[in-house]
Amino acid sequence: MSATPDTVTTPTFQLDGEEIPFQPGQTIIQAALAAGKYIPHLCFHPEFKPHGSCKLCLVKISGRPAASCTTVAQAGLSVESEIPEVQDKRRTLVQMLLVEGNHFCPSCEKSGNCMLQALGYELGVMSPHFPQIFPVRPVDASHKEILLDFNRCILCELCVRASNEVDQKNVFALAGRGISKHLIVNSESGRLADTNFSATDKAAQVCPVGVILPKRVGFAIPIGKRKFDLKPISDPGASAGCAEHAEGGA
Amino acid sequence: MDRKLKVATTSLAGCFGCHMSFLDIDERLLDLIQLIEFDRSPLTDIKHCGPCDLGIIEGGVCNAENVHVLREFRRNCKILIALGACAINGGLPAQRNQLDLRDILEEVYQTEPGLTHGGIPNDPELPLPLNKVHPIHEVVKIDYFLPGCPPPADAIWKFLTDLLAGRTPHLGHGLLHYD
């Protein structure tokens, strides 16, 4: 493009009444986050192709519900995000994720740095609302550097995507259907130790919850000083560029 | 307010940590006691619940006695509050839910080396454990939930003062915690 940005009219769409500029090809959530406007998300990661599975980034576009991570921004769109109807649905989604797994925050090293937990706070999730499923999901402590605690998996597939696309190792996959869907390790034994997985892999860094944890770290940061103790997940400092993805363990 | 509100509290499958956190409101207890009086509670040692305005439940439901106590509270209290992680999602006691209850009892009382081998206790006074530990909202209707392990004293204070003032309790950032 020969013209400078100043002389080109950047297209915009409206997000909760505010004009959001975007580059052609950007999705709604990409443009919103770039403009410092937070839209809740779990499976979206700025370094990966949109996945559209968690539906936390649900918005209403001209009255119709859509996932803002998979919807390409267009000039003149009217997008509603922080309205009670949408926030209620997001809250329900978080509650369903909480009862589907075993999310016992007090024993989790990711507590305070966990996106699911932080979204619970953000959306004011005070109760699980639904009956707990209490699924049986044994942990995999076989790897010498990394613990896998499947109890907390929300099936965002970020580790699957990172291992495939960045690490070129194909260590993780999802198996099963519906409520039986679960994360598996791609080795004959099913154990992480029998793969070429390493703690320096991208897949070890992207888990938004407490499934993939580095060993011998523990509760390194005291309560009150952890990432989301200091600022809510919707804080521009936490969401722009999705810094919450940047760290692996606690 | 014409009269003091009657409040009952109990700890089911919990550790009394939520009650300790409640006491951590410290000198604000003196303000609170102007507004409420306690009925059944570990603080009063009253054994059964009379008609109350507010029932505060710590802990989940892990045995038959917990069910009876919880139902007594529901029958007598206009408003029930689930206080803390265990009441809300089972918490620590529910970590046994992935294991078979008989296996647990046998390992603890019969097979584990170094533990006394007195056999699995079966005194009729002991309440029977349930196969799984349940959050209390799976047994009776719960009106309000206050998460935390334990909820911080400031959160309990904010929650109760909101409720006593007739407002929907609202915890902002820093007071709402699941750990």
Side-chain angles (χ1 to χ4, degrees), chain A residues 37-247:
Chain A
K37 290 282 286 181
Y38 179 70
I39 296 177
H41 57 271
L42 284 170
C43 73
F44 170 79
H45 188 296
E47 296 172 38
F48 292 89
K49 272 184 287 196
H51 196 246
S53 63
C54 78
K55 299 289 184 257
L56 256 294
C57 72
L58 175 85
V59 290
K60 278 184 95 174
I61 303 172
S62 304
R64 295 171 71 96
S68 62
C69 73
T70 55
T71 307
V72 175
Q74 291 176 54
L77 285 183
S78 170
V79 181
E80 294 172 291
S81 176
E82 286 190 25
I83 57 172
E85 179 191 343
V86 168
Q87 295 286 64
D88 286 349
K89 287 194 165 66
R90 291 174 180 153
R91 193 175 301 114
T92 301
L93 287 170
V94 168
Q95 288 171 320
M96 290 164 79
L97 287 171
L98 288 174
V99 300
E100 264 183 39
N102 297 307
H103 297 277
F104 179 46
C105 296
S107 82
C108 180
E109 291 172 26
K110 198 66 178 280
S111 190
N113 301 304
C114 167
M115 287 179 66
L116 178 64
Q117 184 190 59
L119 269 177
Y121 300 160
E122 177 70 21
L123 297 166
V125 175
M126 303 296 281
S127 81
H129 182 77
F130 301 105
Q132 295 281 342
I133 292 177
F134 293 123
V136 177
R137 299 185 191 166
V139 301
D140 179 349
S142 62
H143 195 276
K144 63 181 188 303
E145 296 173 308
I146 294 288
L147 169 73
L148 289 185
D149 191 333
F150 297 104
N151 289 292
R152 302 153 185 167
C153 184
I154 55 169
L155 309 176
C156 70
E157 288 197 70
L158 273 171
C159 59
V160 179
R161 289 181 272 163
S163 191
N164 276 337
E165 296 168 20
V166 181
D167 306 327
Q168 311 275 308
K169 288 185 177 178
N170 195 23
V171 169
F172 298 104
L174 293 190
R177 291 279 173 196
I179 196 66
S180 304
K181 186 176 267 193
H182 60 288
L183 182 66
I184 56 167
V185 173
N186 199 0
S187 66
E188 206 162 310
S189 64
R191 296 179 346 136
L192 192 64
D194 298 328
T195 67
N196 56 350
F197 188 74
S198 152
T200 57
D201 286 357
K202 186 69 177 174
Q205 322 295 329
V206 292
C207 182
V209 293
V211 178
I212 304 174
L213 293 171
K215 289 185 173 178
R216 289 171 292 280
V217 173
F219 298 87
I221 306 171
I223 290 176
K225 299 200 169 161
R226 303 162 305 183
K227 186 179 189 66
F228 299 121
D229 292 336
L230 300 174
K231 54 192 174 188
I233 193 168
S234 59
D235 188 284
S239 60
C242 287
E244 69 266 25
H245 287 290
E247 57 196 292

Side-chain angles (χ1 to χ4, degrees), chain B residues 2-54:
Chain B
D2 298 340
R3 63 171 179 88
K4 288 186 175 183
L5 294 178
K6 282 213 152 198
V7 177
T9 78
T10 190
S11 179
L12 306 177
C15 69
F16 277 92
C18 295
H19 274 79
M20 296 308 293
S21 195
F22 178 36
L23 294 179
D24 274 345
I25 67 174
D26 297 332
E27 72 276 11
R28 289 171 288 186
L29 273 169
L30 300 175
D31 298 329
L32 187 63
I33 215 69
Q34 304 299 317
L35 304 172
I36 67 163
E37 59 182 318
F38 285 106
D39 192 278
R40 174 180 176 158
S41 167
L43 309 174
T44 58
D45 215 21
I46 295 171
K47 302 298 184 198
H48 286 283
C49 193
C52 284
D53 299 288
L54 213 57

